[in-house]
Amino acid sequence: MSTPPHAAVPHPAAPDDARPHPSHGPDMAKVRAAVRGGALAYFVDQFDIYLPIVVLAPATVYFQSASLSASTTALLSSLVFASTLIGRPLGALIFGHFADTVGRKRTTLVAVGGFGTITLATACLPGHETIGTWSVGLLIALRFVDGIFLGGEYTTAVPLAMEWSPKHKRGLYASIITSTSPGAYVVIAAITLLMLQLLPSAGLHSGYVQWGWRVPFLVGALLSALLFRYYLRQVHEPPAELTGERHKLPFVRLLVRYPKALAQVFVLMTGTWLATNMEAAVTPAQLKAHLLLSSKQVTLTMLVINASAALAYPVFGVLSQRIGRRRFYIGYGLSVLVVGAGSYSLLMVSNGGLGAALGWAILIGVFTVGTFGPIAAYLTERFPASIRSTGYGVGYSLALIAPAFYQFYLRQFDGVVSAHLAPAVLIALAGVLISLGGFLGPETKDVDMADDDTIPALS
């Protein structure tokens, strides 16, 4: 099925030094600055998103009454994470609009400044002992607003980096950018391990529960400030040839002219986020509740899972550049179905303690969240230049909503599948969705990012 014809609207003029010269290729200094900026932005984004999962797990009693049931405590904790995920599609829609109509760089700066401020405010929150249930309510509300700004950050920074990247290196550069996601988890886990080692964490009035958890949030706010400064001084707006003509309503254009492309990406990303939530949000609780690992052992196991994923991403990015994005996602989805779900199941039935957990953690890390390896390249290649930020952001974020309610889905297995094995069923489902999403889409690795007419429609 061919792409609908595009109106022959001339691109606005760009400064001579910003135009890519066919005879000399892109300005490599600007390419490197954009890719470094994209990697740093993705790292800071993921550092922020994972903060409550890792850092607040040992400090739950600070925000919630100790008299709450275990199920209510788990539900409120999941809402802290889910509220951020739900805010991200809204941020993608808002900031994608401005990235496509005003500019990628300026919109990135607003998003980064926003989530940096919210992260700092979170570090200053009083606890349940001081303001009662308002404490967890404010935490959830701040994480929702934070999600809006986070959704805006990757909607603008990632397309900016990919538009600067040479075609033959997009898979590699995309994987370098996205490998910072599990890398961020590793850094958070390491900081948390250090804080738990230095501070007592047992009881409401322990050092970690009262103030130790604030340190990683302050680190996140500082990283946001450094990222803002880097974009302000080092990163350049892509040339007009690469960002396309401006439209007043890019989201409407996306829905009217590219609904099948959006639907295909939605299927792929729903599987991606479902697997991610099982790995990042559910696994820590299961390690503690079912395998009876200590907080330090849980953090160490999650560190190994995400370090394995970070090392695998560049391999997957290069592989997708060799065999094509479509073949990669079809094959990787099948790997999630078989190896990812299988490894998770074997982890949960093993009785080998920490040693066995660390062994299975490597396979879980590689075969649950590897979809992200080339995802930055694939989603930016999937949509035309004039609506690229909107298409990337909405496609990436809209699929977050359904997987965000993973606790509800897991409860449907009560009485049918053991609680510790239910996540493996959802990982298997995620693999099916990833393969289906890859199968439904076209090949994109050779797309010319500067030409709207070369963007393949849903085949």
Side-chain angles (χ1 to χ4, degrees):
M1 186 175 179
S2 60
T3 304
H6 296 273
V9 180
H11 293 297
D16 290 340
D17 64 350
R19 294 175 184 270
H21 298 281
S23 59
H24 299 94
D27 184 329
M28 291 309 297
K30 293 180 180 179
V31 170
R32 287 190 290 269
V35 173
R36 282 195 298 265
L40 180 59
Y42 210 80
F43 175 86
V44 176
D45 170 296
Q46 297 300 294
F47 187 96
D48 198 294
I49 195 95
Y50 288 135
L51 274 175
I53 298 176
V54 182
V55 174
L56 295 184
T60 301
V61 69
Y62 180 80
F63 292 98
Q64 301 182 35
S65 171
S67 63
L68 294 177
S69 67
S71 60
T72 302
T73 298
L75 178 61
L76 288 174
S77 296
S78 69
L79 283 176
V80 173
F81 184 54
S83 63
T84 315
L85 300 184
I86 294 169
R88 283 158 77 102
L90 180 58
L93 180 61
I94 295 170
F95 286 90
H97 171 85
F98 288 106
D100 285 327
T101 57
V102 176
R104 316 277 198 245
K105 177 179 175 177
R106 282 182 286 179
T107 311
T108 300
L109 289 171
V110 174
V112 173
F115 73 68
T117 302
I118 296 298
T119 303
L120 181 61
T122 304
C124 301
L125 280 177
H128 183 274
E129 192 177 35
T130 304
I131 60 173
T133 55
W134 280 101
S135 181
V136 70
L138 284 173
L139 176 61
I140 293 171
L142 283 175
R143 293 303 296 177
F144 174 74
V145 177
D146 196 50
I148 294 175
F149 285 110
L150 289 171
E153 176 274 319
Y154 58 68
T155 295
T156 55
V158 172
L160 187 157
M162 289 294 97
E163 286 168 341
W164 273 113
S165 300
K167 181 190 301 184
H168 67 287
K169 289 189 176 181
R170 282 201 297 256
L172 174 62
Y173 288 168
S175 65
I176 290 172
I177 289 172
T178 55
S179 68
T180 62
S181 172
Y185 199 114
V186 169
V187 172
I188 295 172
I191 294 174
T192 304
L193 272 175
L194 177 62
M195 298 301 295
L196 289 172
Q197 189 70 32
L198 296 176
L199 298 172
S201 59
L204 175 61
H205 298 287
S206 63
Y208 185 89
V209 171
Q210 285 298 312
W211 64 269
W213 65 268
R214 303 178 195 273
V215 173
F217 279 88
L218 293 173
V219 171
L222 177 60
L223 288 173
S224 302
L226 294 175
L227 175 62
F228 185 94
R229 184 176 183 274
Y230 181 85
Y231 263 84
L232 186 64
R233 296 192 174 191
Q234 301 293 329
V235 179
H236 296 265
E237 187 73 29
E241 289 90 336
L242 297 177
T243 56
E245 73 270 21
R246 302 287 172 84
H247 296 279
K248 291 183 179 179
L249 298 171
F251 179 62
V252 173
R253 184 177 176 86
L254 171 67
L255 293 181
V256 172
R257 302 194 67 169
Y258 300 96
K260 292 182 179 179
L262 184 60
Q264 177 255 322
V265 168
F266 179 82
V267 173
L268 174 69
M269 291 308 302
T270 296
T272 301
W273 287 119
L274 187 59
T276 300
N277 289 351
M278 293 305 100
E279 178 267 327
V282 175
T283 301
Q286 291 290 352
L287 291 172
K288 192 167 188 177
H290 180 68
L291 296 184
L292 304 179
L293 299 185
S294 67
S295 294
K296 293 178 184 178
Q297 291 174 328
V298 169
T299 304
L300 178 60
T301 304
M302 294 307 299
L303 189 153
V304 171
I305 287 176
N306 286 279
S308 302
L311 293 173
Y313 280 16
V315 176
F316 292 153
V318 172
L319 179 62
S320 76
Q321 197 70 43
R322 295 285 183 89
I323 68 173
R325 318 280 190 238
R326 185 171 186 266
R327 287 182 179 179
F328 170 79
Y329 282 121
I330 293 173
Y332 184 77
L334 294 175
S335 298
V336 174
L337 171 62
V338 177
V339 184
S343 298
Y344 192 95
S345 299
L346 290 171
L347 167 65
M348 288 299 146
V349 299
S350 67
N351 295 312
L354 179 61
L358 294 178
W360 291 116
I362 296 173
L363 287 176
I364 292 171
V366 174
F367 292 105
T368 56
V369 294
T371 313
F372 286 103
I375 204 69
Y378 183 65
L379 294 192
T380 49
E381 293 163 347
R382 195 67 186 86
F383 297 100
S386 57
I387 60 166
R388 183 165 291 132
S389 277
T390 300
Y392 175 87
V394 173
Y396 186 91
S397 299
L398 188 63
L400 278 162
I401 297 176
F405 296 98
Y406 57 87
Q407 286 288 358
F408 172 78
Y409 309 138
L410 291 173
R411 289 185 180 182
Q412 304 312 302
F413 292 106
D414 290 350
V416 180
V417 178
S418 299
H420 60 282
L421 293 177
V425 179
L426 294 187
I427 291 174
L429 174 60
V432 172
L433 292 173
I434 292 167
S435 276
L436 179 61
F439 175 78
L440 292 174
E443 182 50 60
T444 63
K445 73 182 181 70
D446 293 320
V447 159
D448 182 356
M449 300 282 265
D451 187 355
D452 273 11
D453 291 330
T454 65
I455 303 296
L458 184 66
S459 56

